[in-house]
Amino acid sequence: AFPIAVAVLFAQPTDAAVSPLTRAITRKSFVVGGMGTGAAFALRVPPASAVSGGGKDYSGLTISGEDFSGKKLAGKEFRQVVAVGTNFRGADLRGCSFFKADLEKADFTGAIMSGVSLEGANLVGCTLAGARLDGAFFTESVEEVVDFMDVDLSEALISPRTAKALCDRADFAGTNKATGVDTRESLMCT
């Protein structure tokens, strides 16, 4: 049994005493070698493309006009993304963060958005018709959404003032097709 050494390099080696093999290994690679065997080899591992969520992280990117319809994106980060006119129809966005995202005219029709954070997001002209928004977190910008028909806002975190404004809207009605929950009852409108 040979002990195995594993090292992760986060910067290009510059020390003259470092072996030529080690110097040849680029940033964020694994070096694996059998101790005492005189043998060593390197495996190139591409940099991770996500900070969280097990895949691509979209935070800070411009994805305006892109089509994410029907995609499984649960747990992804969309913090401060610019997604003007982006199509998220029917996408699985459970647990995603859209903190301070520009979602102007984005379409979330029928999207699964349970536990989503829309804190500080620009929602001007955004469509949420038929979306599942149970447990979602909103700020007053949610009042700028153009279509709330058939949404489920059960246990959503919305200020009392904003909840009243939503309950007073004509488009805040219907029944969510996926959950069977009445839109007005989901926000306890009287």
Side-chain angles (χ1 to χ4, degrees):
F2 296 99
I4 296 177
V6 177
V8 179
L9 303 176
F10 291 101
Q12 186 69 26
T14 56
D15 186 82
V18 176
S19 75
L21 174 63
T22 304
R23 259 193 303 281
I25 297 169
T26 58
R27 189 172 180 246
K28 292 189 180 178
S29 294
F30 282 102
V31 180
V32 181
M35 301 283 292
T37 66
F41 58 94
L43 300 173
R44 174 73 180 135
V45 177
S49 59
V51 173
S52 66
K56 189 167 183 181
D57 175 33
Y58 298 93
S59 293
L61 297 179
T62 298
I63 57 171
S64 295
E66 301 257 346
D67 185 2
F68 292 95
S69 60
K71 302 279 188 208
K72 294 184 185 320
L73 300 166
K76 302 293 187 230
E77 296 289 332
F78 290 90
R79 292 169 176 265
Q80 298 180 333
V81 73
V82 177
V84 176
T86 299
N87 182 358
F88 291 100
R89 291 176 73 95
D92 183 350
L93 301 166
R94 284 178 280 200
C96 288
S97 175
F98 289 93
F99 177 77
K100 292 192 175 182
D102 185 355
L103 301 171
E104 184 173 344
K105 298 181 181 172
D107 186 354
F108 292 95
T109 300
I112 303 168
M113 301 176 72
S114 304
V116 163
S117 171
L118 290 158
E119 181 181 10
N122 173 13
L123 300 173
V124 172
C126 188
T127 301
L128 294 173
R132 286 180 46 193
L133 293 153
D134 48 297
F137 180 77
F138 295 96
T139 51
E140 51 280 339
S141 64
V142 72
E143 294 178 48
E144 302 299 325
V145 169
V146 295
D147 191 350
F148 277 107
M149 191 62 75
D150 302 325
V151 299
D152 179 355
L153 287 167
S154 301
E155 299 183 30
L157 299 171
I158 299 175
S159 75
R161 189 200 67 73
T162 301
K164 181 177 179 346
L166 294 179
C167 288
D168 290 342
R169 291 175 54 151
D171 68 331
F172 200 73
T175 301
N176 186 277
K177 311 255 183 300
T179 64
V181 174
D182 179 273
T183 297
R184 298 186 59 72
E185 286 180 18
S186 73
L187 200 56
M188 296 184 275
C189 297
T190 54

